[in-house]
Each structure stands twice: as structure tokens, then as C-alpha cells.
Amino acid sequence: MKEMYFTRLTIISKTAKKAAQFDFSKSYNLILSNEKNSVGKSSLVKNIFWSFGCEPQFDDNWKSLDCRVILDFEVKGKPYQIARHGNRFILKDYNEKYMVFTSVGGDFSSEIMSLFDFNALLPVRDKDEVTTPAPAYYFLPFYIDQKQSWANAWASFGKLGQFPDWKKTIIPYHSGMIDKEYFDTTQKIYSKKVEITEVSKQIDRLDTAISVVSEFPSESGLVIDDDELNQIEEQLNVEVMDMHYQQEILFEELASLRAEKAHIGSQIILAENSFKEAGEDYEFSESLDDDIECPTCGVTHDNSIVNRFSLLQDKKQAEDMINRLNTELADLNDEIIKKVTDFESVRAHINDLDKKYSTESGRSLSTVLEAIASKSVRKKVEGNKSVKVEKLHTLSTDEKVLIKDRTAASKGGRKKVREKFQECFPRYLTKLKAFGVNSSSIKSPENHVKVAASGGAAESTRAMLAYYVSIYNLIKNYGEHVLCPFVIDTPNQHEQAAKHYDSIVSLLLDELPEKSQLFLCGMNSEKLEPLKVHAKVIYLDVEHSLLHSDSFKKFDSEYSEIFELDASGV
């Protein structure tokens, strides 16, 4: 059994000294009002998802309540509880073990996604790595919110900009086109990318070394090809070759030292920039509030004095790095001076031997040996570069093979899911009497943009419901992750005609998977009677008053200890 059920929701506002608690059925749950809107139907279900770190759209009045939310739920038959206040989360597992988290990402996302068997990975922006996304990416197909989802699928929550092009991965995964094996291969691909990046850097450093070697040309401009190099080396006696080898080694060591000097110089520039930015960030942070929202991914970051102090630590670390690198640079300069001195000493010795050995062509021995040394060192560096280039080619080929294998492995799953979608989506459209929607152009779960654009306003709403119910059944049939309850906020959009509201209710009764849990928010209607027979009905009729003062003390006392837990006390 891979279903999840929401069993109880508790909401507490210490600010307003109000609270409420709602128990749910494992089958159908209707959250209704008889005459009024703005009674809290949407806020009730939004808090379910908010407890898991999702960001549904709350109005300013609700945000001002600063609510604490506790959700009891079951996964695979085992009880769990999650509590949230601000950006703190407390998860209790079926062994009564508590875990405390202070942000949505990182360990919290990994823990929640593991609990739901949600194995999707998304690429980190501007990095060669993939990571587990936030729980919102799991909950997206299970919640049709009142404001966004009826016109735009996969848009129930805000702050989803952390990952680029995430729908290209998340939709195929949810619908069962790709699975854990796909992401296992994806991790291998990104491991290759990391290796490719590292080898490319090594090749760049070898190019730097080659350019350094080129700074040691023979004064006479003597050029020796490979054949002549080999011939001369054979002709020279042991004493002269000893000097040649010493010169060659010194050439190589000098090239390496100067390449390392160039590398450290670039590191110093980066460290100096980090030092400057950390100082500027600290000065800027002092002018901001205690909470800062990231404009890219929407995550709220703590800007307390403790976290601002971490910027000063960053600045100190950058300063320490600059000092360390400058020390290393000074040591390198000393070593280079020493090597240059040794080199000149060897050259002087060669000049002494010049009188003893010379070539018939009149070229001096020192000129020949310098040319040999320069040529030999360059051959070694270029040979090393050739090895790295070959390795880079192999890695790039391996990456392409992995991508090809991943595509081939998912081909069958994609075909199967698309065929099932093309079978169920048009059938659901017919049941909903959305005859104005051109289903022939909507052949895959990935064609969600075309759904809202089809038919008139009322018809496109029913088409969107058909799409979501199709996705829900695909997840049940082909997905490897836990099936979440299906939450629909106000399906009677654009005042559906009575006969169409009947068809909506009929679709939900007949086409949702067995053992699935449904939440439906809306105005009370006789058209909902077939659902009411099987449902837990929650009536909300007091405007702007989902919470009540008479239950505050009871629930505040019952749950206050949960929010006092910290990581050290768990």
C-alpha cells in the first residue's frame, strides 16, 4: 500500500489567541459553506500543504495570524506528524522520534521526499550537480487551488524558480514516464560532467605551462626537429648529457613553478573579491530586516545578528586565505629565484664545456643543449596534455553514451504513459461534456499548456479537471512514489451549469482510484449529495473566522511543547 492520508489538521494562532482542529475521513472530505465565501475553506486546505514547506497564496490577513500548524498523516499505513511555524519544521515518525529542521531545503527535503519514495532529482542552477527538490514539487499534481490551477496546471504554489525548466523533468516523473533508474543514470552523467570540468581545468593549466616554456627560447633561435633531437642526444657523451639532463629538469621545474604562480595569482584575485563582497554584504545586511526573501528561489533567510556574524566570519576566512596564498606566493618566488640561480650555474658549467665539445656546423654546445632542453620539456608537457585531451574525449564519449542509454531506457515508459493518457483524457472530457476541447492536440501530460487554451472558460475548467484526474490515475498506475490525497478547491468555476456539476461529481466518484482520499472545497449544493453519502462534511459559515477563541487554550496547551523542541533536544 503506497497511499498517504491526511487524518487531522490543527491550526493555532498565538497572535489572535484562536485555534481550530479538523479530523478527516480516509475517503471523501467536503469543506463547504452554505451561503458565504471568505469563510476559510481555501485557507484550511492550503495549511495542509504549507505544513510540508509548500507556499500556497495566503492573503495578508491570514499571514498576520502567524499560525502554528500541526498535521497528522499516514504513509504506507504508518502514522506521522509534521508541525510548522515560520521556517521551522518538526517531523515525528511512527516510532515517536522527532526531527527538527530550520529550512525547507537540504535535509528536510531529503527526509520528506524519501518518506514519499519521490526519487526525482533536479539540476542545481549554474552547477554540475543534481539535488533533491523541495516537497512542493511532489505535491503539485495533487492540489488544484482556486486561483491558479484552473487556468494553469502545475502552478499551485509559489517560489518554484529555484530550478530551471523543472517541468521537463517533474511532469514525466510524476506520470511514470521515467523512474529512479533514470535519475541513477542522471547522477552518473553529472559525475562525468564534474570529471570533464576538472580535466578541462588541468588542460588549461598545461596550456599555461606550455606558454611558460615558450618564454625560454634559445638565444640563437635554433630550431631542432624530433629526428635531429634524437640524433644529437645519441652523439653527446655522458658528461655533456648530464648537464643536459640537469638543464632539462630545471626547465621543467621552472615551468611548473611559474604555472603554479599563475594559478595562485588567480586564486588571490578570487579571494580578494570574496573579502570585498563579504564586507559589503555585512554592511548591506545591517540595513535589512531580520528575514530576507531570496528574489530567485523565494526562500526566506534568517538575517539575525548570529547569521550576520557569519558574514564577518566569511570575511575573516577570505582574509586568512589571502594571507596564506600570499605566503605561498612568496615561497614560490623564492623557489623560482633559487631555480633560476641553479639554471644559470648549469649554463655556466655548459659554457666551460663549450670549449671541449662543439658541433661541426659551428653551433655552440650551450645553444644546442638549450634547444634540446626546451624541446624536450615542451614534448613532455604536450605529451601530458595529449593524455588529458584523450581522457577528456573518453569522458565526453562516456557522457554521451549515458545520455543515449538513459533516453533509450525511458522510451518504453514514455510510450506507455502517453498511450494511457490518450485513452483516459478524451474519455474524461466526454464524461464532463467538454466537447469544445480539441483533445487531438493534447497527446501527453507534457501538453498541459494546451489544456487551458481549449474551449470556452467553463469548458476549459472542466478540461483542466480531466487533465488533473488523468495525471492522478497515471501516478496511481505507473508512478513509483506515494499517492497523495487529491485536493480540489472550488470545482464549480465560472458557474458550471447544473448538468455539468453533476458530471464533475460523477467523474470524481467513478474515476478516482480505489483507496484514494479526496478533499473538495465549495459552496453547498444538492449536486454534491452523491458525495455526501460517503463523505466527512465540514461546514464553515462564519466569515473570516476559520479559527475560534474558545478552543485556543486547549490546543495551545496540547501542542506547545512540540514547538519548543530544538535539534539538540530531540
Side-chain angles (χ1 to χ4, degrees):
M1 183 176 75
K2 294 192 70 170
E3 289 83 18
M4 170 164 53
Y5 298 103
F6 303 140
T7 56
R8 171 178 289 174
L9 177 69
T10 306
I11 307 173
I12 303 167
S13 170
K14 286 182 174 290
T15 301
K17 296 191 182 305
K18 292 182 179 181
Q21 188 175 83
F22 307 94
D23 292 313
F24 305 127
S25 163
K26 287 188 176 181
S27 56
Y28 302 110
N29 296 273
L30 303 180
I31 303 166
L32 307 175
S33 63
N34 287 308
E35 297 179 354
K36 298 179 179 179
N37 282 314
S38 301
V39 295
K41 301 185 297 294
S42 297
S43 295
L44 192 158
V45 296
K46 285 178 181 180
N47 275 280
I48 292 174
F49 298 105
W50 186 78
S51 68
F52 286 103
C54 305
E55 295 297 338
Q57 295 184 17
F58 288 112
D59 61 31
D60 290 338
N61 289 333
W62 183 267
K63 291 177 182 178
S64 68
L65 295 175
D66 188 30
C67 289
R68 291 163 166 79
V69 175
I70 306 97
L71 178 70
D72 293 280
F73 62 103
E74 292 183 10
V75 176
K76 304 175 194 175
K78 295 179 180 179
Y80 294 83
Q81 184 184 82
I82 190 164
R84 178 180 183 181
H85 178 224
N87 286 318
R88 291 186 75 249
F89 301 85
I90 303 96
L91 177 65
K92 182 176 75 172
D93 67 14
Y94 60 91
N95 289 320
E96 303 286 320
K97 176 186 175 183
Y98 287 92
M99 291 171 278
V100 179
F101 307 91
T102 56
S103 65
V104 175
D107 292 340
F108 177 73
S109 293
S110 297
E111 190 70 34
I112 295 298
M113 295 307 216
S114 176
L115 177 61
F116 298 156
D117 293 334
F118 193 79
N119 298 305
L121 299 171
L122 291 175
V124 178
R125 193 183 295 272
D126 300 327
K127 290 185 178 180
D128 288 334
E129 63 180 272
V130 289
T131 190
T132 300
Y137 295 90
Y138 163 78
F139 285 108
L140 278 167
F142 303 119
Y143 175 43
I144 309 178
D145 81 302
Q146 185 178 9
K147 291 186 177 181
Q148 294 290 332
S149 302
W150 293 110
N152 185 16
W154 305 94
S156 305
F157 307 117
K159 302 181 180 180
L160 297 175
Q162 181 180 0
F163 301 100
D165 298 326
W166 56 267
K167 292 179 184 177
K168 293 180 180 179
T169 302
I170 292 299
I171 296 176
Y173 180 69
H174 266 298
S175 58
M177 294 181 180
I178 56 179
D179 56 15
K180 185 178 185 297
E181 182 181 350
Y182 178 94
F183 293 104
D184 288 342
T185 305
T186 297
Q187 285 188 305
K188 293 177 183 178
I189 291 169
Y190 274 84
S191 293
K192 294 295 180 186
K193 289 181 182 293
V194 171
E195 289 187 75
I196 287 170
T197 299
E198 180 58 31
V199 172
S200 296
K201 288 180 180 178
Q202 292 174 2
I203 291 173
D204 289 341
R205 293 181 73 170
L206 288 170
D207 282 334
T208 301
I210 290 172
S211 67
V212 170
V213 171
S214 299
E215 294 176 4
F216 294 95
S218 169
E219 292 181 2
S220 65
L222 179 62
V223 177
I224 300 178
D225 60 30
D226 291 342
D227 291 338
E228 188 177 5
L229 173 64
N230 294 331
Q231 183 180 3
I232 293 174
E233 285 179 337
E234 290 175 2
Q235 292 175 348
L236 294 174
N237 63 30
V238 174
E239 184 179 4
V240 177
M241 284 306 298
D242 180 60
M243 291 295 99
H244 157 65
Y245 288 133
Q246 288 186 44
Q247 190 176 45
E248 180 181 320
I249 289 169
L250 288 169
F251 260 124
E252 191 170 355
E253 289 177 344
L254 274 171
S256 177
L257 288 170
R258 289 182 175 175
E260 184 64 21
K261 178 180 178 180
H263 177 66
I264 291 177
S266 65
Q267 287 186 308
I268 290 174
I269 292 173
L270 291 175
E272 288 174 342
N273 289 337
S274 297
F275 176 80
K276 180 181 178 182
E277 290 171 1
E280 292 173 347
D281 288 346
Y282 179 78
E283 293 178 4
F284 180 64
S285 68
E286 289 199 307
S287 67
L288 300 175
D289 297 331
D290 286 343
D291 290 320
I292 307 172
E293 183 177 294
C294 174
T296 300
C297 64
V299 174
T300 300
H301 299 281
D302 183 13
N303 189 37
S304 64
I305 183 63
V306 175
N307 283 277
R308 291 201 301 271
F309 181 70
S310 68
L311 292 174
L312 291 179
Q313 290 178 313
D314 292 342
K315 183 179 179 181
K316 181 64 168 60
Q317 289 174 352
E319 185 178 21
D320 291 343
M321 180 176 288
I322 292 170
N323 292 335
R324 177 176 59 80
L325 290 172
N326 279 321
T327 300
E328 291 181 12
L329 186 61
D331 291 341
L332 268 177
N333 284 327
D334 291 342
E335 187 69 16
I336 289 171
I337 291 171
K338 183 177 181 302
K339 294 297 178 185
V340 170
T341 301
D342 292 343
F343 179 78
E344 294 298 333
S345 176
V346 170
R347 177 175 284 181
H349 193 179
I350 290 172
N351 288 335
D352 291 338
L353 292 172
D354 224 5
K355 299 174 182 178
K356 185 177 181 181
Y357 299 99
S358 63
T359 64
E360 294 179 358
S361 61
R363 295 179 298 192
S364 69
L365 178 63
S366 60
T367 301
V368 173
L369 290 182
E370 285 180 11
I372 292 174
S374 179
K375 183 78 173 181
S376 181
V377 171
R378 188 179 183 93
K379 278 181 64 179
K380 285 185 179 180
V381 177
E382 288 179 342
N384 196 5
K385 178 184 175 182
S386 295
V387 172
K388 298 298 182 183
V389 169
E390 180 63 27
K391 184 177 181 180
L392 181 62
H393 174 73
T394 300
L395 289 170
S396 299
T397 301
D398 291 346
E399 181 189 18
K400 291 176 183 177
V401 170
L402 285 169
I403 292 172
K404 183 178 179 180
D405 291 346
R406 184 182 65 176
T407 301
S410 65
K411 188 175 181 180
R414 291 178 187 274
K415 182 175 183 293
K416 176 177 62 178
V417 168
R418 284 169 180 155
E419 287 176 349
K420 183 64 176 178
F421 180 82
Q422 291 169 27
E423 181 270 319
C424 64
F425 180 63
R427 181 162 57 84
Y428 296 161
L429 287 176
T430 301
K431 293 193 73 167
L432 292 172
K433 300 178 176 60
F435 301 116
V437 176
N438 180 16
S439 62
S440 64
S441 65
I442 306 170
K443 299 181 180 297
S444 166
E446 297 158 302
N447 300 143
H448 60 94
V449 174
K450 297 180 181 179
V451 177
S454 298
E459 276 191 326
S460 66
T461 295
R462 298 198 299 279
M464 192 62 75
L465 179 62
Y467 174 82
Y468 270 99
V469 174
S470 298
I471 295 294
Y472 197 74
N473 278 286
L474 290 174
I475 295 171
K476 174 64 177 178
N477 293 328
Y478 305 113
E480 62 184 9
H481 47 299
V482 169
L483 186 71
C484 177
F486 193 26
V487 180
I488 308 173
D489 193 353
T490 316
N492 192 25
Q493 297 284 311
H494 303 290
E495 299 300 324
Q496 302 287 330
K499 62 180 180 179
H500 295 320
Y501 207 7
D502 281 336
S503 67
I504 290 172
V505 173
S506 176
L507 180 74
L508 297 176
L509 281 169
D510 297 341
E511 300 297 342
L512 291 183
E514 186 181 357
K515 295 183 180 180
S516 60
Q517 186 183 31
L518 173 69
F519 288 76
L520 189 146
C521 304
M523 300 296 291
N524 195 10
S525 168
E526 62 179 13
K527 302 299 179 182
L528 296 173
E529 290 302 323
L531 276 172
K532 287 182 181 179
V533 174
H534 309 283
K536 169 73 178 289
V537 183
I538 298 173
Y539 288 103
L540 302 174
D541 284 308
V542 180
E543 193 170 4
H544 300 297
S545 189
L546 178 63
L547 310 182
H548 306 282
S549 57
D550 55 0
S551 56
F552 171 72
K553 287 185 178 180
K554 175 187 175 182
F555 296 133
D556 182 48
S557 174
E558 182 177 349
Y559 293 105
S560 60
E561 290 185 1
I562 294 175
F563 294 98
E564 294 172 2
L565 292 171
D566 57 31
S568 61
V570 176

